[in-house]
């Protein structure tokens, strides 16, 4: 695989020195005043409110303020933009016209699959919206949230520890000054206070055949909870308090059914403290490999690393990467992927040779934060050079590129973002991780529509969907696992 150029103009010089001097994350009250719901330069979460020069990216007007007509709570999502028409299509034959707004990974996919991989570009809809409390918290955080000082564990934990007493539920650093703040925002972007779901994933072979897996997921996000919403107990109180907690249970294939894990990471440590229940052993053990950097992602058959679940996020007990300074760029990314979330489609429609079916995907032009990470000396990772492209309106990632140890582009990932407007929030509905060398690709268990005929529904964000906090503890995991 040939070396591919990094995005032009993405400077990396002096990043390590920049981070070493960034002891204070909060900004002045005057700078924080740029944030606001209306009439300010920046949106409450830190995006540029204005559109771009030619109007192809509109101004943000609050996003989706209410679910569209026909939507019923707990049912499938209605596409609010179903009448939009394709503006143009980017292919292997014409991509040079749009090259400055394409990632290296996207260009590589166009070249590798010239007859099937394409990009249907639709009008850009800045649909991102969030609850009022998240806007209020984000604005407050800008002038108040800060890193722990001194950080625990030395220099490689300097931007891994936030003081909970100066944080309110919201974007931690809506006006980021360096790549560490960008990555923290992305790692802890808002995808609901809690939810439960039955979700489907796939591992596809070079010929387009695929194997399915089904998992039940339970998410509980204490950093976005207040008062009586917060779980209680030592597991949730240590290390400055739990940030988010996650449990996953295998439902299929039969050989892994019943396997469960759960754990939390914390305000003072991004390391995921996981515990695993194995049915055949009938016991719970600590599982430090789950969620750790380049450990194989669950259900991915080795096609995704643990830190690539949200395309690229912080994990582990210390920082292994040096991050580039903040760069904002206009790019074509998957967005408003409601067609892909339509229950009429199953994996027979979605999975194609080498990639997800291009006829079902929707791309739009959006501004993204481009974050480049290069492995620090003394550390080892399957992907020593990474880029992630983070939507400025939500802090959720839409694209990522992973390079191998020889500097060759290796894995290309897409996340199919949409607004879960009943919350509201922006998160992905399925993703795709493509190996340019083997021709294989995998989708994490984030496709909720595949089980439509089995009676499953989209994630449950309602009070009934709040998982039992006890499940996130070793004792609770043992109790649930025995059942």
């Amino acid at each position: 695989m040939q070396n591919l150029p990094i995005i032009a103009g993405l400077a990396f010089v002096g990043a390590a020195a920049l981070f070493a001097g960034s002891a204070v994350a909060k900004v002045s009250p005057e700078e924080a005043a740029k944030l606001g719901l209306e009439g300010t330069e920046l949106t409450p979460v830190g995006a540029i409110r204005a559109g771009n020069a030619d109007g192809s990216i509109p101004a943000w007007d609050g996003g989706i303020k209410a679910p569209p007509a026909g939507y019923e709570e707990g049912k499938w999502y209605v596409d609010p933009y179903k009448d939009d028409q394709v503006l143009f299509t980017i292919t292997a034959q014409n991509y040079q016209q749009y090259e400055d707004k394409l990632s290296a990974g996207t260009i590589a996919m166009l070249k590798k699959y010239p007859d099937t991989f394409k990009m249907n570009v639709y009008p850009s809809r800045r649909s991102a919206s969030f609850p009022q409390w998240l806007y209020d918290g984000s604005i407050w955080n800008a002038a108040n949230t800060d890193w722990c000082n001194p950080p625990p564990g030395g220099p490689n934990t300097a931007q891994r520890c936030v003081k909970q007493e100066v944080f309110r539920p919201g974007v931690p650093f809506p006006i980021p000054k360096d790549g560490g703040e960008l990555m923290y925002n992305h790692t802890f972007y808002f995808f609901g206070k809690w939810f439960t779901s039955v979700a489907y994933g796939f591992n596809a072979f070079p010929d387009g055949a695929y194997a399915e897996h089904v998992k039940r997921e339970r998410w509980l996000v204490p950093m976005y909870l207040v008062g009586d919403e917060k779980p209680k107990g030592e597991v949730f109180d240590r290390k400055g308090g739990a940030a988010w907690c996650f449990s996953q249970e295998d439902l299929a294939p039969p050989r892994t059914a019943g396997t469960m894990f759960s754990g939390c990471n914390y305000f003072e440590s991004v390391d995921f403290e996981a515990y695993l229940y194995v049915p055949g052993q009938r016991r719970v053990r600590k599982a430090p490999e789950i969620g750790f950097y380049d450990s194989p992602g669950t259900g991915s058959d080795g096609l995704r690393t643990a830190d690539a679940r949200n395309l690229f996020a912080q994990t582990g007990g210390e920082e292994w990467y040096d991050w580039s300074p903040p760069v904002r760029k206009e790019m074509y990314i998957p967005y408003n992927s409601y067609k892909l979330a339509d229950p009429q489609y199953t994996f027979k429609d979605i999975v194609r040779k080498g990639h997800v079916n291009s006829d079902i995907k929707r791309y739009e032009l959006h501004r993204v934060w481009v974050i480049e990470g290069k492995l620090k000396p003394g550390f080892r990772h399957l992907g020593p050079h990474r880029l992630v492209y983070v939507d400025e309106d939500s802090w959720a990632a839409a694209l990522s590129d992973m390079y191998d140890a020889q500097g060759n582009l290796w894995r290309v990932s897409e996340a199919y973002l949409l607004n879960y407007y009943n919350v509201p929030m922006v998160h992905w509905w399925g993703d795709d991780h493509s190996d340019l060398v083997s021709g294989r690709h995998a989708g994490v268990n984030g496709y909720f529509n595949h089980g439509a005929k089995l009676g499953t529904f989209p994630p449950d964000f309602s009070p009934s969907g709040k998982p039992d906090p006890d499940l996130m503890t070793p004792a609770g995991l043992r109790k649930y696992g025995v059942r």
Side-chain angles (χ1 to χ4, degrees):
M1 187 63 59
Q2 65 182 27
N3 286 293
L4 293 174
I6 303 303
I7 295 174
L10 184 56
F12 201 91
V13 178
L18 172 68
F19 300 155
S22 297
V24 178
K26 60 186 178 182
V27 302
S28 68
E30 292 75 21
E31 194 169 3
K34 295 178 181 179
L35 302 165
L37 193 57
E38 296 179 346
T40 52
E41 177 184 339
L42 303 176
T43 72
V45 302
I48 297 172
R49 179 183 304 279
N52 63 356
D54 65 7
S56 53
I57 297 176
W60 184 77
D61 63 0
I64 298 177
K65 299 182 178 67
Y71 171 74
E72 297 180 39
E73 183 68 32
K75 302 295 185 182
W76 299 104
Y77 288 96
V78 173
D79 185 354
Y81 310 119
K82 59 180 173 51
D83 295 329
D84 285 355
Q85 301 298 309
V86 176
L87 299 177
F88 54 90
T89 300
I90 302 173
T91 68
Q93 290 71 45
N94 69 0
Y95 77 88
Q96 292 90 346
Q97 301 176 42
Y98 313 97
E99 194 165 6
D100 63 327
K101 293 180 174 61
L102 300 176
S103 71
T106 297
I107 293 171
M109 291 295 289
L110 287 163
K111 290 180 176 179
K112 185 173 179 65
Y113 302 102
D115 297 327
T116 57
F117 190 94
K118 62 183 179 181
M119 304 170 68
N120 288 326
V121 178
Y122 289 79
S124 296
R125 304 284 192 172
R126 295 183 71 178
S127 55
S129 58
F130 298 96
Q132 183 62 48
W133 58 260
L134 186 136
Y135 293 144
D136 295 339
S138 301
I139 295 170
W140 188 90
N141 288 341
N144 292 277
T145 298
D146 216 341
W147 303 111
C148 300
N149 192 15
N156 290 324
T157 62
Q159 291 185 311
R160 292 297 196 91
C161 178
V162 162
K163 296 183 286 189
Q164 186 175 177
E165 61 269 23
V166 291
F167 169 84
R168 291 182 181 177
V171 177
F173 309 113
I175 305 179
K177 298 189 294 296
D178 59 47
E181 294 175 16
L182 288 172
M183 277 300 292
Y184 200 90
N185 286 348
H186 168 52
T187 298
F188 292 105
Y189 78 89
F190 178 67
F191 52 83
K193 290 184 173 184
W194 56 68
F195 68 85
T196 59
S197 69
V198 173
Y200 297 75
F202 66 84
N203 297 308
F205 303 98
D207 63 359
Y210 58 90
E212 302 177 23
H213 53 91
V214 188
K215 301 181 187 299
R216 179 177 287 112
E217 292 198 345
R218 302 174 176 95
W219 285 88
L220 184 65
V221 190
M223 73 182 300
Y224 289 109
L225 307 182
V226 296
D228 292 340
E229 293 178 330
K230 281 184 171 292
K232 297 175 176 61
E234 191 274 335
V235 166
F236 308 105
D237 295 337
R238 63 190 183 216
K239 297 185 178 181
W244 54 248
C245 302
F246 173 38
S247 177
Q248 188 179 88
E249 175 186 358
D250 282 17
L251 302 180
R255 69 178 181 277
T256 62
T259 302
M260 298 177 66
F261 73 79
S262 63
C264 301
N265 62 15
Y266 297 88
F267 275 88
E268 294 181 358
S269 174
V270 183
D271 194 14
F272 184 54
E273 295 193 1
Y275 293 85
L276 177 70
Y277 171 79
V278 181
Q281 300 173 353
R282 290 278 177 150
R283 69 183 182 91
V284 173
R285 65 172 178 84
K286 196 164 186 179
E289 73 279 5
I290 295 178
F292 183 77
Y293 279 107
D294 58 357
S295 294
T298 56
S300 69
D301 201 20
L303 294 171
R304 172 179 58 83
T305 56
D307 58 7
R309 179 178 171 85
N310 288 329
L311 298 201
F312 193 14
Q314 292 175 319
T315 183
E318 58 182 342
E319 186 55 74
W320 287 14
Y321 287 86
D322 285 323
W323 304 112
S324 60
V327 172
R328 221 180 312 223
K329 182 178 174 62
E330 295 180 11
M331 295 186 70
Y332 293 108
I333 62 173
Y335 217 88
N336 290 309
S337 304
Y338 294 99
K339 187 174 182 180
L340 192 63
D342 192 309
Q344 70 173 299
Y345 297 117
T346 69
F347 285 150
K348 290 181 180 179
D349 309 290
I350 294 170
V351 181
R352 292 291 180 266
K353 180 179 177 180
H355 56 83
V356 164
N357 188 346
S358 293
D359 291 326
I360 307 178
K361 295 190 290 184
R362 173 181 177 130
Y363 293 87
E364 298 180 7
L365 185 64
H366 285 259
R367 281 186 294 254
V368 300
W369 292 103
V370 184
I371 312 173
E372 183 177 14
K374 290 186 176 180
L375 201 64
K376 294 181 177 183
F379 294 99
R380 297 181 65 183
H381 191 290
L382 289 173
H385 184 188
R386 311 275 289 273
L387 289 97
V388 61
Y389 305 87
V390 176
D391 169 39
E392 70 161 349
D393 287 328
S394 66
W395 293 102
L399 302 170
S400 73
D401 299 335
M402 178 193 284
Y403 291 78
D404 65 19
Q406 288 70 49
N408 299 312
L409 184 57
W410 177 23
R411 291 177 176 174
V412 178
S413 301
E414 293 185 324
Y416 305 112
L417 303 180
L418 56 77
N419 186 328
Y420 290 72
Y421 39 66
N422 57 323
V423 176
M425 66 176 205
V426 174
H427 190 42
W428 38 269
W429 185 288
D431 63 5
D432 197 24
H433 303 266
S434 298
D435 187 315
L436 292 173
V437 177
S438 71
R440 298 190 62 194
H441 65 117
V444 74
N445 44 293
Y447 292 87
F448 310 102
N449 48 347
H450 186 69
K453 294 181 173 62
L454 302 179
T456 60
F457 290 93
D460 184 1
F461 300 99
S462 74
S464 64
K466 183 178 181 180
D468 181 355
D470 194 38
L471 179 62
M472 309 300 171
T473 69
L477 186 62
R478 185 178 297 109
K479 179 181 71 175
Y480 274 82
V482 169
R483 291 179 178 178

